[in-house]
Amino acid sequence: MTKSVFSKPFTQQEAIPDAGIEHAIMVLRSGRLHRYNTLEGEISEAALLEQEYAAYMGQRYCLACTSGGYSLHIALKAAGIQPGEAVLSNAFTLAPVPGAIDNAGGKPVLVEIDHNYCVDLAHLETMMLQSRARFFMISHMRGHIADMTAVTALCKKHGVTLIEDCAHTMGASWDGKKSGSFGKIACFSTQTYKHLNSGEGGFLTTDDDQIIARAIIYSGSYMLFERHGTVPQAEVFTDIKLDTPNYSGRMDNLRAAILRAQLPGLDQNCTRWNKRYRALAQRLANNAQVYLPQRPDKESYVGSSLQFRVPELDQGQVAIFIAGCALRGVELKWFGGVEPHGFTSRYDSWRYTGNSQQLPQTLEILATTFDLRIPLTFSIEDMDTIGSIIDEEVSEILS
Ligand SMILES: *Cc1c(COP(=O)(O)O)cnc(C)c1O
């Protein structure tokens, strides 16, 4: 029997919707790409996007900026981080998170994850007590949302400010409440591989007057802060505008126009991702060696990627499995590697943090965890092909 091969690329996104392309052309024709370059009475694309995304989130304020990582950085600054302060973060995340903590002058203190890729709540409390950190930057990594009722209760109990990294949970919610509305601040990315695509870009959302005022000034508003889409009253800026440096990181009107056209279709796309996710999860559930994370009823996730474990595989078999899938066109990422690779890096490779924490539980989970993207360019039938390949390759090694 010849082995089936999957031939679509795992990194191909859908085209920008026609409305977005037309909108982008209008901005290009106008020549007014800078967010403060407006005609009399005109509201810029960037400002309109801020209003629309704040409304989508049900939050008072949104700042559009250059990237998700940038928004994480200024979120910590706007929250009042002081040089050298500890910032808690779950250890399973991507490099921009510890990078943002470092950029804000903080020191990452890492927390174990559980078998469902969420922050381990018992370890979180231990580390809150041990570190006395004032900030917890929770990364809803790969869209897995921890019990947010418990997380917010722990933060409250220990006086910790919660900042949410929602790079993978845009459009998701916990117990009927949008991911990104549990913390003091939430950060989102509109980089190509996330849920909205402007190449690069980010949002910071909050309900807090002081925080948004500081974030706006940090983002490089000069004294044009009143031209933002969602701004507190001018008085809020009286001291903040003099006390806050300009860390130039503005969103431009071209990217804003592209994003504005995508936002109305976001929820529908989330449904499309989930159809694919569920089809693949169902196919993989046939194999008893494959462990899928449990997803609680309260979690309305966005299945733009899927993680699974094959706990029986040893180190050598992991490499054989990844290579076997790759030969058949299925691109798996592995977070267990000592050496960082592509977009993937394990926490102990972030040497600049000077952090020598040992997180055995996280290492054990990541050692046999595989991760694959689910771009919307894949059909539901493709999920069956991919699932079969994974199933067959696992069975071949472990039989
Ligand atoms: C992509 C990503 C970021 C950073 O977003 P950029 O827009 O690329 O800076 C932060 N956290 C996670 C988990 C991400 O996947």
Side-chain angles (χ1 to χ4, degrees), residues 203-399:
F203 298 132
L204 178 156
T205 60
T206 183
D207 275 337
D208 189 287
D209 288 355
Q210 308 279 321
I211 283 177
I212 194 67
R214 280 187 222 118
I216 288 172
I217 303 283
Y218 275 130
S219 79
S221 69
Y222 301 91
M223 293 302 128
L224 304 171
F225 48 85
E226 285 178 280
R227 310 244 298 258
H228 273 250
T230 54
V231 259
Q233 299 202 316
E235 298 87 82
V236 179
F237 288 90
T238 309
D239 288 323
I240 286 175
K241 71 184 180 197
L242 306 176
D243 291 335
T244 310
N246 175 328
Y247 290 166
S248 213
R250 294 167 300 272
M251 163 84 58
D252 59 86
N253 286 332
L254 181 58
R255 282 184 286 170
I258 295 171
L259 291 169
R260 286 188 67 209
Q262 290 172 51
L263 186 54
L266 173 60
D267 285 341
Q268 201 202 331
N269 278 346
C270 293
T271 305
R272 295 173 62 218
W273 266 305
N274 286 347
K275 280 192 180 141
R276 287 157 180 76
Y277 180 96
R278 282 171 194 143
L280 181 56
Q282 221 164 32
R283 180 65 188 78
L284 292 178
N286 293 341
N287 189 318
Q289 313 276 15
V290 173
Y291 281 64
L292 291 162
Q294 276 168 17
R295 311 221 68 161
D297 289 342
K298 285 186 179 168
E299 184 197 30
S300 297
Y301 58 87
V302 181
S304 52
S305 71
L306 183 141
Q307 294 67 45
F308 65 93
R309 280 191 309 135
V310 188
E312 298 294 307
L313 294 179
D314 65 30
Q315 284 265 353
Q317 290 170 324
V318 162
I320 295 169
F321 174 56
I322 294 173
C325 288
L327 266 178
R328 299 177 64 183
V330 173
E331 203 183 296
L332 295 179
K333 289 190 200 162
W334 183 52
F335 278 86
V338 174
E339 285 295 319
H341 179 74
F343 285 110
T344 308
S345 61
R346 206 171 68 183
Y347 74 85
D348 48 345
S349 73
W350 307 326
R351 203 160 68 183
Y352 59 87
T353 63
N355 189 319
S356 57
Q357 279 176 268
Q358 302 289 320
L359 301 167
Q361 185 172 304
T362 300
L363 290 181
E364 189 246 333
I365 293 164
L366 294 184
T368 54
T369 289
F370 305 94
D371 170 47
L372 69 164
R373 293 179 201 272
I374 306 181
L376 290 174
T377 48
F378 289 1
S379 68
I380 308 224
E381 295 72 55
D382 289 339
M383 296 298 113
D384 202 50
T385 313
I386 294 169
S388 302
I389 290 171
I390 293 170
D391 178 21
E392 287 161 19
E393 292 297 314
V394 167
S395 301
E396 196 173 306
I397 296 171
L398 291 179
S399 60

Side-chain angles (χ1 to χ4, degrees), residues 138-182:
I138 189 171
S139 184
H140 304 298
M141 180 63 173
R142 290 298 189 252
H144 298 280
I145 307 177
D147 178 342
M148 292 309 289
T149 315
V151 168
T152 47
L154 276 179
C155 288
K156 199 167 165 206
K157 181 173 165 194
H158 296 286
V160 171
T161 298
L162 181 65
I163 299 172
E164 297 182 69
D165 168 19
C166 300
H168 303 162
T169 55
M170 181 186 274
S173 51
W174 173 264
D175 202 11
K177 200 164 132 73
K178 282 223 161 76
S179 179
S181 55
F182 290 88

Side-chain angles (χ1 to χ4, degrees), residues 67-69 72 93-94 96-97 139 141 165 167-168 189 191 194 201:
S67 74
L72 291 166
T93 185
L94 286 186
V97 175
S139 184
M141 180 63 173
D165 168 19
H168 303 162
S189 169
Q191 185 246 76
K194 313 298 164 84

